[in-house]
Structure formats: C-alpha cells, structure tokens
Amino acid sequence: MAQTTAHQHHDAFDGIVRPRPVKPGNPMVLRAQSEEDGLKPNGLPGLPSGISSGRSTPLPPDAPPSAKSISSARKQMRAQHKHRLFPTVEYSARVSHFDPRSDYRDFRGFFVLFWIGLAIMVITTMLRNIKDTGFPFRVGVWALLIEKTWQLALSDGAMVGSTALSLPLHRLFRQSKSWLKWEKGGIYIQSIYQILWIVLWINWPFMLNWNWTAQVFFTLHTITIFMKMHSYAFYNGHLSTTQHRLSALDNPENASTAAAVRYPRASTHLHEMTIPEEETIARKDDDEKLSQLREDLALELTSPLGQVTYPQNLSISNFADYVLCPTLCYELEYPRTEQRQPLEIVWKTLAIFGCIFLLTITSEEFIVPVLHDASIRLENISSLSETLLILSESISLLLFPFMVTFLLVFLVIFEYVLGAFAEITCFADRHFYSDWWNSCDWLEFSREWNIPVHHFLRRHVYGVSRPYMSRTMSTVVTFLLSALAHELVLGCITKKLRGYGFLAQMLQLPIVALQRTEYVKGKKLFNVRRFPLYIYRGIEMLTGFRMCASGFR
C-alpha cells in the first residue's frame, strides 16, 4: 500500500527505485531492484543510455566466434543481470533519503527541525557578537578559507587532469602484443605511476605551505581522485586481459581453455565473502566447454546494462564523464536520468555554501575558542589531575558543536555535493548513504555511512585480497588502508603524524568483535542508543587531545 501511494503522488518519477521506510533485513539496504520493479537498463522506461543507440548491429555470416559471443552477451545482459567475473557494483535509479521523492519523506519533519535549530543558533550568535564587538560575525576562520584560493584551484585542476594519463597508458597496454600487456608489464607500470602520483600530490600542500583547511580539502580530494583512477585503470586492465583471452579462443588450439574464476557478487557483504571457487559443471565435450568459456568471457566485456562493450568505452568523453560521476567504482555504463533539472543544481549549490557558512560559524564560535583556551591553560599546568580535568572539560564543551559539525559535513558531502554532481551528469543512482543513524556496530556503520567508499574497498581491497587471505586478514587489510587515510587527513590539521587517528580506527576491530558477542549482539535498542555516543565522543576526544597536545594556531 505504501509503495502504491508513493507512486500515485510521484507519477512523474515512475521507474525510480525509492528508499523504503522500513529497514530491510539486508544491512546494505536498497540494492538495485531492476528485476523486481521492471526497470529498463538506464533506470527509466524506454530511455536510451546516451552512449549507444540500443540496437544490435547485425553480424556478417563469417564473423569470428569472439564477435558472435560478444553480440550474444549484449543481448543476454539486456535481458537479465548475471554474476560477473569481476566484482560489479549494482547501479540503479534511486533517490537519497532526504529527497522529496523518497518514501522517507515523513522523516523530513525532523530534518526541517534541525535547520530551524541551526537558524536559531546563527541568530543568537549574531546578536551576541553585535553586542560584544559591534560586528555580526568573527573573521578568524573566514581568513583561513580564502587564503591562496587561486593557488588551490589551479593545483586541484592539475591534480585531476593528471589522472587522464591512465587512458593513453591503457590503450598502449591493450594494443601491445608483448611485455607491455596489462597482465605482464602493464600492471606494474600503472602501479608505479599511481605511487609516484599519490606521493607527489600528497606532499604538494606541504611544499606550498598551505594552511590546514586547504590541506584537508586537497588531501581528501586527492585520495578520492586516486581511488577513481585506480578503479578505472585496474578494471579496464582486467577487461583487456579478458578480451585477449576471448580473441585467442578464435584459434583454440594454442589458447588457454582454463575455466574463468568467478568473483564474489557485488551485493555480498565483507563478512559474507568467501574464496571464489572454480565451477565444476559437467561438459559433454570440449566444444561445449569452449562455448561456455567464450560466453563467460564475452559477458565480462559487456556492461551490466547491456548497451556498451569494451573497448567502446576507451574515449576522452567517457573518462571525463566518469571523473564527474559521483562514484568511485568504474563501470562501462551507469543508469541515467532522462534530463537535468537546472533548478535542482542551483538549490544544491546554494545548500553547499550554506553548510560551509554554518560550519564556519560553528568552528569560529564554539570550537576554536575552547581549543585555544585549553591549549593556553595546559601550558601552565604540570599536574596530571589538572591536565585530565582540563581535557575532560574541553571535551564536554565540544560535545554539541562537534555533533553539529559531524551532521553538517555529512549533509554537505553526501546529500548536496554528490547530489549536485549526480544532477549535472544525469547519474541516476543517488544512493550515497543509507540509514546509518540506525547502525548497531562499526561494520554496519561503515557500510551505510559512506556507500561509495564502501563499494571501492569491497571491490578493490577486500575482494582482491580475499582469494589469498583469510576473511579476518582481509578485513584487517581493509581497515588498515582506511586507517592510514584517516591518519593522513588528521596529520594535515596538526602538521604531525602521531598515530592517534590510526590507532582509533584500528581499535574498531576489537570493538566489532565485542559487539558480535552473544551478550551484546541481541540488544538492538541498547546498541542503537549507544553507537552514536561512540561516534561523537570518539571524534571529540581524538581531536581535542591532538589539538590541545600540539597547540592550536
């Protein structure tokens, strides 16, 4: 009934899978429901993808078996979704939780109340500042934001543009007949380039002596673009190897006929992934086995939506589109909306600057004074008890402003920035987060708080390491990489790498083990109430301790 009502109210948006108001049993929430809801490949009825005409070109009678296999694969992929040899992220036309078209729209009352509370905070702050200083706002943090703006913009553009080298490199690897093939020397050349790239751009803000706000933005964007570049290069490298194998089967006498290994499904959770096993299907004869292998390889070269086949995607326009799309996992094709909504782009852009304005006020009025005062008081204290008292007092004063900052950062990134880029690129899958506020443990939170990064780690870190390691070790490696990235960002703020952020991130593993015990796991209401306290308290204690210990300037 709820679903019927929702579609009656939003007839103009039929074909878009909306978040359901009831949390399903699957913690990842709201997977692609193309098969159940009858979505077209692009997520909207009857709409072409924009990359292909959607029609199959007739093959000549003397076409090689590899071409026939690819043609057959495209037809199959347009008819149904199948397991992929490479972990594929399932994209579908979906809206975010706070979108007016979402079935979570009844929750928007609390959303509006949140903004009313922030408006009251801003008005009260302005009146107090006018009374004390004669001006409505302080300008300390504002000065940090506008410092070296053009230098930051030019550096960011050069950083993003330098990733385009992956395209000509891959074309070279694909056309090579010798050691430059991806599976031979290509993968090592790409890896060396990526290492040199990340080392250069991570050190770039320190070389130019930027302030911490510019460093944090640039470092976060650098890590994001690095993940996009890695996914583009390694997924296309995998497709290059697959194409070489398929072409070699045109002369099967000298080609490898080893069965293709199936990777875990994209919808599988980290803790549910198992080591991929080779299928043991009885074959009547070698010809049938060869035909099945051709089909498996051809399916891998065809997009999940069935409109694009590798190497049709190796173009500048496709790479530029992928860089702008709000996703970290490269696919041959994504579901698209019918058209852009310019007014929606305007509203989201205004919301981005509005959130930045609120973040600046919160930091200027409620965070910086507390940290500055604590730093001065700690310089004149030698007693351990007084030091702990000052730290406890400072952390308590940071409770509310850090909670507001946490929520504003979440909104500006996952609802407005990613939403704006999704609208610009007509990217239909707006499911960038799930209901993380109902999380009961850290693993569930990591899946639902940042879905694009979760997809990347599952596909390119956990999924790659799982065949060679145990489930526990693969999880540790995944958390290790995430912890290093978090420590790097915190180091940009204090200009020191002390390891506090890394340690706090890795401590999540024993906490997860504790939360999975029979004494805690079944107490859902207790966990839902307790988990947000872990998040906010952890951020406050970590930041407060680092700032007070190193001194805030």
Side-chain angles (χ1 to χ4, degrees):
M1 178 64 69
Q3 186 176 6
T4 303
T5 305
H7 283 276
Q8 289 174 350
H9 286 295
H10 305 287
D11 291 335
F13 303 100
D14 285 345
I16 297 180
V17 182
R18 300 176 176 86
R20 304 303 307 161
V22 179
K23 185 179 179 69
N26 187 336
M28 197 174 71
V29 180
L30 309 177
R31 294 178 185 168
Q33 300 176 359
S34 305
E35 297 182 19
E36 291 95 354
D37 295 342
L39 287 178
K40 297 296 181 184
N42 51 13
L44 291 173
L47 178 67
S49 67
I51 302 178
S52 170
S53 65
R55 299 178 180 177
S56 300
T57 303
L59 293 176
D62 58 345
S66 59
K68 295 179 180 179
S69 298
I70 290 179
S71 177
S72 174
R74 293 183 61 156
K75 293 178 182 178
Q76 291 186 41
M77 294 306 299
R78 285 193 289 265
Q80 63 178 350
H81 292 286
K82 300 192 69 173
H83 294 185
R84 311 286 292 177
L85 304 183
F86 194 91
T88 302
V89 178
E90 297 172 355
Y91 292 97
S92 180
R94 294 174 284 192
V95 295
S96 66
H97 283 67
F98 295 122
D99 193 288
R101 296 168 287 173
S102 169
D103 285 337
Y104 276 93
R105 60 188 178 276
D106 293 339
F107 184 69
R108 292 182 64 84
F110 289 98
F111 189 55
V112 173
L113 183 62
F114 170 75
W115 289 113
I116 292 175
L118 290 181
I120 294 174
M121 181 193 74
V122 172
I123 294 172
T124 304
T125 300
M126 291 174 60
L127 294 175
R128 185 177 67 249
N129 286 337
I130 292 174
K131 176 184 175 182
D132 295 341
T133 65
F135 298 96
F137 302 111
R138 304 177 190 269
V139 295
V141 175
W142 290 105
L144 291 176
L145 293 178
I146 62 176
E147 184 179 337
K148 299 182 179 180
T149 307
W150 283 107
Q151 195 177 85
L152 173 62
L154 292 175
S155 298
D156 195 66
M159 180 267 295
V160 175
S162 62
T163 62
L165 184 60
S166 297
L167 177 58
L169 279 178
H170 180 74
R171 286 177 173 173
L172 177 64
F173 302 151
R174 176 178 171 270
Q175 296 172 359
S176 175
K177 302 297 183 181
S178 57
W179 65 273
L180 279 180
K181 283 185 177 180
W182 173 259
E183 62 271 23
K184 294 183 178 179
I187 188 173
Y188 300 105
I189 294 175
Q190 179 68 35
S191 299
I192 292 172
Y193 171 67
Q194 289 183 181
I195 292 173
L196 296 176
W197 187 93
I198 193 69
V199 170
L200 169 65
W201 293 113
I202 288 296
N203 284 281
W204 190 257
F206 296 94
M207 294 163 56
L208 298 181
N209 197 28
W210 289 350
N211 59 53
W212 70 270
T213 55
Q215 283 189 333
V216 169
F217 167 80
F218 190 81
T219 301
L220 286 174
H221 199 201
T222 299
I223 295 174
T224 300
I225 297 301
F226 176 81
M227 288 189 286
K228 291 178 75 77
M229 176 175 62
H230 177 86
S231 182
Y232 179 87
F234 277 73
Y235 184 63
N236 276 304
H238 164 77
L239 295 180
S240 174
T241 302
T242 303
Q243 187 191 40
H244 288 157
R245 285 198 63 191
L246 180 61
S247 299
L249 289 178
D250 291 341
N251 298 306
E253 294 81 8
N254 301 322
S256 171
T257 57
V261 177
R262 293 194 175 275
Y263 284 77
R265 294 182 59 189
S267 56
T268 307
H269 297 161
L270 296 184
H271 65 280
E272 294 175 347
M273 283 188 177
T274 57
I275 299 176
E277 297 180 358
E278 190 171 307
E279 291 185 352
T280 54
I281 302 176
R283 308 295 185 191
K284 293 182 179 179
D285 50 40
D286 291 341
D287 290 339
E288 185 176 352
K289 181 179 179 180
L290 193 62
S291 176
Q292 180 64 40
L293 180 57
R294 283 197 183 102
E295 180 183 347
D296 291 341
L297 295 174
L299 285 173
E300 194 66 11
L301 295 173
T302 306
S303 69
L305 306 182
Q307 303 293 331
V308 180
T309 302
Y310 178 88
Q312 294 175 350
N313 60 306
L314 299 180
S315 64
I316 293 292
S317 59
N318 179 272
F319 180 82
D321 175 78
Y322 167 63
V323 170
L324 293 176
C325 282
T327 178
L328 299 177
C329 292
Y330 180 75
E331 289 289 345
L332 295 174
E333 187 181 11
Y334 299 105
R336 305 286 179 163
T337 57
E338 184 175 2
Q339 60 183 1
R340 295 182 182 87
Q341 301 183 49
L343 189 60
E344 189 71 15
I345 299 175
V346 173
W347 283 120
K348 288 188 182 297
T349 303
L350 291 176
I352 291 171
F353 287 101
C355 286
I356 294 175
F357 171 74
L358 292 172
L359 283 168
T360 304
I361 290 182
T362 304
S363 300
E364 187 77 67
E365 299 291 338
F366 303 103
I367 296 178
V368 171
V370 174
L371 296 174
H372 183 69
D373 179 66
S375 179
I376 295 176
R377 293 167 63 188
L378 286 172
E379 290 179 356
N380 303 319
I381 296 298
S382 57
S383 172
L384 177 61
S385 59
E386 293 184 5
T387 301
L388 293 176
L389 180 62
I390 293 174
L391 288 175
S392 300
E393 179 186 5
S394 301
I395 290 171
S396 298
L397 291 173
L398 292 172
L399 176 61
F400 183 75
F402 266 81
M403 181 182 68
V404 172
T405 300
F406 180 86
L407 295 176
L408 285 174
V409 169
F410 161 73
L411 284 172
V412 75
I413 295 176
F414 297 102
E415 184 67 24
Y416 300 130
V417 172
L418 297 184
F421 276 96
E423 199 64 51
I424 291 171
T425 59
C426 295
F427 191 83
D429 194 344
R430 314 291 172 88
H431 186 48
F432 307 121
Y433 60 90
S434 189
D435 53 342
W436 56 264
W437 44 86
N438 292 326
S439 299
C440 295
D441 59 55
W442 282 109
L443 280 182
E444 186 177 358
F445 174 76
S446 65
R447 288 193 301 264
E448 300 182 349
W449 145 263
N450 190 341
I451 288 181
V453 170
H454 169 65
H455 282 164
F456 177 87
L457 293 176
R458 183 185 62 203
R459 185 191 199 192
H460 294 285
V461 180
Y462 188 94
V464 171
S465 62
R466 184 65 186 95
Y468 309 100
M469 302 179 183
S470 64
R471 180 183 295 111
T472 301
M473 284 304 301
S474 297
T475 303
V476 170
V477 169
T478 304
F479 270 83
L480 181 66
L481 242 113
S482 178
L484 290 173
H486 283 79
E487 176 62 27
L488 179 62
V489 174
L490 289 175
C492 291
I493 299 177
T494 61
K495 305 292 182 69
K496 297 178 181 178
L497 296 175
R498 296 182 178 272
Y500 301 141
F502 176 84
L503 179 62
Q505 184 83 359
M506 295 305 294
L507 282 177
Q508 294 180 19
L509 291 175
I511 293 176
V512 167
L514 176 63
Q515 291 170 336
R516 294 289 175 101
T517 60
E518 58 180 347
Y519 304 103
V520 181
K521 187 175 182 180
K523 300 177 176 60
K524 185 173 182 179
L525 182 60
F526 170 74
N527 288 328
V528 170
R529 290 176 175 177
R530 179 193 57 176
F531 187 73
L533 297 178
Y534 284 170
I535 299 174
Y536 302 133
R537 275 293 178 185
I539 296 175
E540 294 151 20
M541 292 179 65
L542 182 62
T543 307
F545 181 72
R546 292 177 64 101
M547 292 284 192
C548 294
S550 60
F552 183 85
R553 289 187 283 274

